[in-house]
Amino acid sequence: MRAWSVLEPGPVEAGPLRMAGKPVPVPGDDELLVRVRTCGVCRTDLHVAEGDLPVHRKGVTPGHEVVGEVTGFGSAVRGFDVGERVGVAWLRRTDGTCGYCARGAENLCPASSYTGWDADGGYAEYTTVPAAFAHRLPGGVDDVTLAPLLCAGIIGHRALRRAALPPGGRLGLYGFGGSAHLCAQVALAEGATVHVLTRGAAARKLALDLGAASARDAHEMPPEPLDSAILFAPAGELVPVALRALDRGGTLAIAGIHLSDIPALTYESELFYEKQVRSVTSNTREDAREFLALAAEHQVHATTHTYPLSRADEALRDLKAGRFDGAAVLVNDLS
């Protein structure tokens, strides 16, 4: 099969992602073989390609927002049929036995592994997934629409819960890409007032079109104090900016897997009055199930821009440059 591989991590403009020939993967006893139909483009893929995330697998194929169809499976798999549509997301496997898994925090499992980082992902004709970590997908929704929900949507949902937004509260979203614009739709549907703070004019327009109360540059103050804020942009310099925008007792959730260095914080203006900072680490399968149900209930949809899978490198360059709003989705034109 043909697949994209990160041969030598570096700036995406220099071409770290290269098309290569790879054997069609053989599923393990508990795994599904999945023919990729679409794969969302996530900022984490950019971090893998550029080396912001340390190399876990040399020559890895990125991609962890996969919608595909089952074409085979291992001997221990039950309950899946050839031809069935499934979703493949970031969290690939956990040990299921550690204390974190036992208490329902499998996202913190020290033995966890990830699609497109520890194992080859969806920038390819085929990928594999442990059956226990494959997601059932709602019917009546097309492959392109579903793909961004499988990471951007799930992580945005977990970040929203980590931000401890009170009912009817005031939420600030810093950065407004694939994850934030899905998170905003859930928050609005649940009665929140949403303020968006982001650098891109197109993203600000999208925010207002979706129902945000305001949309300003990321370094500006929102028009009112915030009960909660989520930092989606991988920019550590925005942490003190967001903390200053919080009302007393407010919570800032940092949603990214990678963040540039945070500058020194001033206790009196940025942390006093019981403000909180919380990180977000991956997600659990329960997060995914809960979000997919909410997405169907509230008709949450991604604003998508499609690229052929053969142009995945271009999609990553455009993501980095901020050339599109919403989310990019790769459509398999390799098979």
Side-chain angles (χ1 to χ4, degrees):
M1 68 172 185
R2 288 184 291 170
W4 289 96
S5 294
V6 180
L7 299 184
E8 201 63 53
V12 71
E13 299 84 357
L17 199 66
R18 301 290 178 87
M19 183 70 79
K22 288 189 173 184
V24 174
V26 177
D29 288 347
D30 65 344
E31 294 180 346
L32 309 176
L33 176 64
V34 177
R35 188 183 75 82
V36 175
R37 287 158 50 160
T38 60
C39 184
V41 177
C42 180
R43 187 165 291 275
T44 301
D45 303 334
L46 181 63
H47 293 320
V48 170
E50 295 202 312
D52 296 324
L53 295 179
V55 173
H56 279 191
R57 179 186 178 122
K58 186 172 177 59
V60 72
T61 294
H64 56 274
E65 296 179 336
V66 179
V67 176
E69 63 180 88
V70 177
T71 60
F73 41 77
S75 60
V77 173
R78 301 289 184 272
F80 286 91
D81 296 316
V82 170
E84 184 173 350
R85 187 171 68 159
V86 296
V88 182
W90 175 238
L91 184 65
R92 177 181 175 83
R93 194 184 289 276
T94 61
D95 63 22
T97 60
C98 70
Y100 302 102
C101 289
R103 73 180 198 223
E106 66 181 6
N107 59 307
L108 301 179
C109 175
S112 57
S113 62
Y114 301 93
T115 309
W117 193 20
D118 297 291
D120 287 342
Y123 287 23
E125 294 180 65
Y126 292 88
T127 190
T128 61
V129 60
F133 287 81
H135 295 288
R136 309 281 185 178
L137 299 176
V141 185
D142 65 87
D143 297 343
V144 170
T145 300
L146 281 170
L149 304 186
L150 290 165
C151 179
I154 295 168
I155 291 296
H157 176 64
R158 184 170 184 86
L160 181 59
R161 298 300 179 239
R162 293 282 292 165
L165 181 67
R170 301 157 296 176
L171 174 67
L173 301 179
Y174 287 80
F176 203 69
S179 194
H181 89 292
L182 294 169
C183 172
Q185 293 174 59
V186 174
L188 288 164
E190 294 179 339
T193 298
V194 175
H195 299 287
V196 170
L197 302 113
T198 191
R199 65 182 182 180
R204 291 196 294 270
K205 180 180 183 304
L206 174 60
L208 294 173
D209 289 345
L210 289 174
S214 72
R216 299 181 175 183
D217 183 80
H219 288 273
E220 294 184 39
M221 291 292 287
E224 60 181 335
L226 304 173
D227 297 301
S228 303
I230 305 172
L231 177 58
F232 287 102
E237 67 268 19
L238 291 177
V239 170
V241 175
L243 285 169
R244 287 194 293 272
L246 288 177
D247 204 350
R248 299 182 182 204
T251 298
L252 169 64
I254 300 175
I257 192 172
H258 169 77
L259 188 72
S260 60
D261 289 344
I262 300 172
L265 300 176
T266 302
Y267 180 68
E268 289 79 5
S269 61
E270 291 153 8
L271 285 174
F272 196 50
Y273 295 119
E274 298 192 353
K275 297 178 182 181
Q276 301 183 77
V277 181
R278 308 176 82 180
S279 66
V280 178
T281 300
S282 185
N283 63 273
T284 67
R285 284 171 285 178
E286 182 57 33
D287 292 329
R289 288 188 285 266
E290 183 178 295
F291 172 71
L292 290 171
L294 281 173
E297 177 185 351
H298 297 306
Q299 298 184 320
V300 173
H301 63 281
T303 296
T304 55
H305 305 269
T306 59
Y307 293 73
L309 183 52
S310 60
R311 288 165 47 198
D313 54 345
E314 178 185 343
L316 279 185
R317 290 194 297 269
D318 288 352
L319 172 64
K320 183 178 180 179
R323 294 192 182 103
F324 55 77
D325 56 6
V329 178
L330 305 175
V331 178
N332 187 357
D333 63 333
L334 302 179
S335 61

